[in-house]
Amino acid sequence: MTKLEQDLVAIRRHLHQNPETAHQEYQTTEYILACLRRHGIRVIDYGLTAGVVAEIGGIVPGPVIALRADIDALPVTEQTDLPYASRIPGKMHACGHDFHTAVVIGAGILLKQLESDLPGTVRLIFQPAEETATGARWIMEHRVLDDVSCIFGLHNKPDLPVGTVGIKAGPLMAGAYGFVVEIQGQGSHAAVPDHSVDPIVTASLVVSALLEVTIRTFDLGVRQAVLKRFEDIVYGVSSALGASASIRWVQGPPPVNNHEGLTDFVRDVVAGTGLRVVEPKPSAAGEDFAFYQQSVPGVFVFVGTSGHYEWHHPQFDLDESALPFTAEFCKELCRLALTRLQFHDPLAFYGEADEEQIFDGP
């Protein structure tokens, strides 16, 4: 193992042993800060109570680009026999955010070695609370993206082999909605059930008709049609049985929607690093990186990690050999993006935005 690989494995395992859930990532934040400062990477104070923003470059004037990692764990009890299994009961890095954090730290270490030659600034964002779909918006509220030209993110993918990167223009991960449905009926004596409107019976029929626990779509036009159909079923079934109903929508992230022009650029970078580009199947999982893409052009990729279990499984693990070359890929992506932006009109680089995919609430 190279020194970098040893360091990244150690970072990932420390984080894995010490998971913290959304908006509680205080020790995680301190550990990331220590790693960055140990390598002379400057930290930028945006007033965050959890999460870290750091920068590399800026010696040569130029654009600012961002590379994002999510840092939160899940309220899951780990069921592995790993020597570095979670030490915190009921909490686990069951989605690989420890991997993402180690990768972006590694990319920062590599970029620091090139700092004097970078034609601009790379901003590293270690974001809290991805799992609750609140962290990205919180980062944006602190104006971390105000001067950013483009942003990149990644997620490990256990069903892709190590050495592959899944890249797809357009929708990659689904927009998600939760909901709370309240049914109101009319009680009566058990001897005269025909005088009642049983809300439990009504609710069970609504559930049978919907067969939904969340609503996930890849297109905002489809989303509107699905939400309308959902409402028709809830109100229609309830009304038919003499009950009343109300729906409260719980907003999740919009679809991750990779910009076509920028995606082509990322695909070229991957090919140049010797990794294999694959066309991934879109995931129905949600990802709040999508909020960033509504503010600046961005691309989100899947990195193959040859795992045996899917995200959020209590036996989730991944192949750590993917750490060093993923960090190298992220370093090259940032370096080449700055070079490209330095000499090209950003609008020509990105193409036109897809206005129909702008998230506007339910």
Side-chain angles (χ1 to χ4, degrees):
M1 295 172 67
T2 66
K3 179 64 165 62
L4 177 64
E5 185 174 359
Q6 291 173 342
D7 289 347
L8 297 188
V9 167
I11 290 169
R12 186 253 165 170
R13 292 185 178 187
H14 174 89
L15 294 169
H16 194 87
Q17 286 182 308
N18 299 277
E20 295 177 298
T21 49
H23 293 299
Q24 302 297 317
E25 307 96 331
Y26 306 124
Q27 291 185 28
T28 302
T29 294
E30 291 303 315
Y31 181 76
I32 295 169
L33 286 169
C35 290
L36 297 173
R37 287 169 175 158
R38 187 160 58 246
H39 291 276
I41 298 171
R42 68 182 181 274
V43 174
I44 309 301
D45 185 5
Y46 278 91
L48 303 174
T49 54
V52 178
V53 180
E55 287 185 354
I56 301 159
I59 298 172
V60 177
V64 179
I65 66 168
L67 177 64
R68 175 269 207 168
D70 38 14
I71 68 174
D72 55 326
L74 285 158
V76 171
T77 299
E78 184 159 353
Q79 296 177 10
T80 73
D81 296 323
L82 296 171
Y84 50 88
S86 171
R87 296 171 176 170
I88 313 298
K91 296 182 182 181
M92 177 190 177
H93 271 293
C95 205
H97 295 186
D98 50 349
F99 175 88
H100 307 158
T101 302
V103 162
V104 173
I105 291 173
I109 293 170
L110 294 171
L111 286 164
K112 182 65 179 177
Q113 298 170 4
L114 310 174
E115 185 167 38
S116 61
D117 296 323
L118 292 175
T121 302
V122 178
R123 184 166 296 158
L124 307 179
I125 300 173
F126 297 90
Q127 178 210 302
E130 186 280 325
E131 295 292 355
T132 58
T134 55
R137 284 177 290 179
W138 194 61
I139 289 289
M140 293 170 70
E141 287 168 6
H142 284 77
R143 313 198 67 153
V144 177
L145 259 64
D146 278 11
D147 58 347
V148 169
S149 296
C150 64
I151 186 167
F152 303 107
L154 73 151
H155 205 293
N156 71 90
K157 201 70 167 68
D159 60 340
L160 293 179
V162 169
T164 61
V165 180
I167 304 177
K168 179 184 179 300
L172 179 67
M173 300 182 74
Y177 268 98
F179 51 82
V180 177
V181 176
E182 294 185 0
I183 307 292
Q184 293 185 336
Q186 175 66 48
S188 74
H189 193 283
V192 284
D194 53 309
H195 291 181
S196 74
V197 176
D198 191 334
I200 296 176
V201 171
T202 304
S204 67
L205 291 173
V206 168
V207 170
S208 296
L210 290 172
L211 296 177
E212 294 280 357
V213 292
T214 59
I215 293 175
R216 295 171 184 263
T217 62
F218 293 95
D219 180 90
L220 298 186
V222 172
R223 182 202 68 187
Q224 296 288 32
V226 171
L227 296 185
K228 176 63 167 58
R229 181 60 176 157
F230 183 98
E231 293 174 346
D232 290 345
I233 290 172
V234 171
Y235 296 138
V237 171
S238 300
S239 177
L241 296 177
S244 61
S246 64
I247 301 171
R248 176 169 62 86
W249 295 108
V250 180
Q251 178 184 320
V256 169
N257 191 43
N258 289 335
H259 190 280
E260 185 171 353
L262 193 55
T263 300
D264 289 340
F265 166 75
V266 176
R267 189 179 288 110
D268 290 341
V269 174
V270 173
T273 63
L275 301 175
R276 184 162 62 92
V277 176
V278 298
E279 180 84 3
K281 179 181 178 181
S283 171
E287 165 59 67
D288 76 350
F289 184 86
F291 288 114
Y292 296 133
Q293 292 177 309
Q294 295 184 326
S295 177
V296 297
V299 173
F300 197 75
V301 302
F302 291 147
V303 177
T305 50
S306 299
H308 299 292
Y309 297 94
E310 196 39 90
W311 302 326
H312 295 210
H313 193 283
Q315 292 178 272
F316 174 89
D317 194 23
L318 47 76
D319 188 336
E320 293 174 328
S321 69
L323 283 165
F325 65 73
T326 306
E328 174 70 22
F329 154 63
C330 288
K331 178 266 288 183
E332 278 296 282
L333 178 62
C334 293
R335 182 183 70 84
L336 293 172
L338 284 179
T339 302
R340 181 74 178 265
L341 284 168
Q342 187 82 347
F343 297 105
H344 291 75
D345 177 2
L347 292 179
F349 183 39
Y350 299 136
E352 296 181 0
D354 185 354
E355 295 182 357
E356 293 183 359
Q357 289 295 325
I358 299 300
F359 181 78
D360 57 1

